[in-house]
Amino acid sequence: MFIHQIHYLLALSKTEHFGRAAEACHVSQPALSTAIQHLEEELGVTIVRRGQRFQGFTMEGERLLQWARILAQDWECMRQEAAQCNRQLTGTLRIGAIPTTLAVAPLLTEPYQSDYPGVGIKLVSLCADDLIRQLDNFELDLGLTYLEDPGLKGFRKLPLYLERHVLLARSPDPRLIKDNLGWADIAKLPLCLLTPNMQNRRLIDAAFREAGVTPNIMLETDSVFALYAYVRSAGLYSVVPHSLLSLFESYFEDRPIRDEYLIVQGGQLAGVGAHSYSKGNATGGSEEAAQFKKD
């Protein structure tokens, strides 16, 4: 019963509503409320502030919530250890990923699920700040994000790949057809970029600042697919990580939708290790993904 009480408490913390918490735990609302009251009696402390509806947690309750998260995580690890003893690892691996890493996530999860078919994957797209918060609250098991984020101090980190940036275009201005581009060239283009709360956008903004230019931003979005749609259909340009290229392989009137160009600054690769593929090569993204998996 104790572990169920812990899960009920965490569900209430997440939903902030007795009814929705009970629904998430597949129990009746009175059963959930009674279980939490019994937990309070057992611990000798008031955890939840009650009225006609949920009013939040007491100061003591907020402190105990952190222990509840640790206990729930330890219980799941115990269950998995028991399953592994029987060579039948089960459960759900919860992964948070910033949008620009979603394209490479299957390259990481596919081998894992091949070895442990009983384990399900829950993959959610989050901004870096929310990802770190959920890791800190034991709501995620793994996170895919930039290692340079100062919020990751204290977490165990593993480098996966070096990100490189490319310019995404459908019908590029003829003046762009040259060996390389600088950030000053790109700043003049009508751009669509991720929103400023996205870590990838912060890196791109830093590259423009370092080049001493202000980009001409026409549209901001939190969706990489919206970026692609506006490049494809609205004549805008975008700067995207090379890891997304495998997603952008459509054709329009027998022409590749995307062209990529090398971005340099002062003779050096610009931004976060910027790079390019052969212009008009619509298979470059898949080849890169295959090489990433091989390495």
Side-chain angles (χ1 to χ4, degrees), residues 75-197:
W75 170 253
E76 181 60 26
C77 291
M78 182 178 176
R79 289 182 62 253
Q80 292 184 11
E81 186 68 25
Q84 195 168 24
C85 290
N86 296 324
R87 300 183 182 276
Q88 294 179 347
L89 189 63
T90 60
T92 301
L93 181 63
R94 302 164 302 172
I95 303 175
I98 59 174
T100 52
T101 65
L102 291 173
V104 302
L107 304 180
L108 305 174
T109 59
E110 188 276 330
Y112 182 83
Q113 288 193 294
S114 178
D115 291 339
Y116 303 104
V119 176
I121 303 291
K122 181 180 179 181
L123 177 67
V124 292
S125 176
L126 299 166
C127 69
D129 292 341
D130 287 342
L131 185 150
I132 292 172
R133 178 184 57 78
Q134 291 195 27
L135 282 173
D136 217 16
N137 289 335
F138 301 96
E139 297 172 16
L140 294 174
D141 302 304
L142 296 173
L144 302 179
T145 187
Y146 293 103
L147 298 182
E148 296 82 2
D149 194 316
L152 291 176
K153 289 182 179 179
F155 288 103
R156 182 182 177 186
K157 297 181 287 187
L158 177 67
L160 295 177
Y161 63 95
L162 177 65
E163 183 173 273
R164 299 169 295 191
H165 282 108
V166 295
L167 177 67
L168 197 67
R170 177 188 170 196
S171 300
D173 188 308
R175 291 171 293 181
L176 296 175
I177 311 299
K178 54 184 180 179
D179 291 339
N180 57 64
L181 294 172
W183 288 100
D185 299 309
I186 297 170
K188 302 173 185 177
L189 302 173
L191 294 171
C192 53
L193 299 175
L194 291 174
T195 50
N197 65 311

Side-chain angles (χ1 to χ4, degrees), residues 98-103 125 168 192-194 219 221-233 238 240 244-250 257:
I98 59 174
T100 52
T101 65
L102 291 173
S125 176
L168 197 67
C192 53
L193 299 175
L194 291 174
L219 178 133
T221 177
D222 61 357
S223 167
V224 294
F225 295 102
L227 291 182
Y228 173 64
Y230 274 87
V231 170
R232 185 185 190 279
S233 304
S238 188
V240 299
L244 293 180
L245 296 183
S246 60
L247 301 180
F248 305 148
E249 296 178 357
S250 300
I257 292 302

Side-chain angles (χ1 to χ4, degrees), residues 245 248-251 256-258 260 278-286:
L245 296 183
F248 305 148
E249 296 178 357
S250 300
Y251 279 79
I257 292 302
R258 60 175 173 77
E260 307 96 20
S278 299
K279 181 170 68 68
N281 178 4
T283 64
S286 293

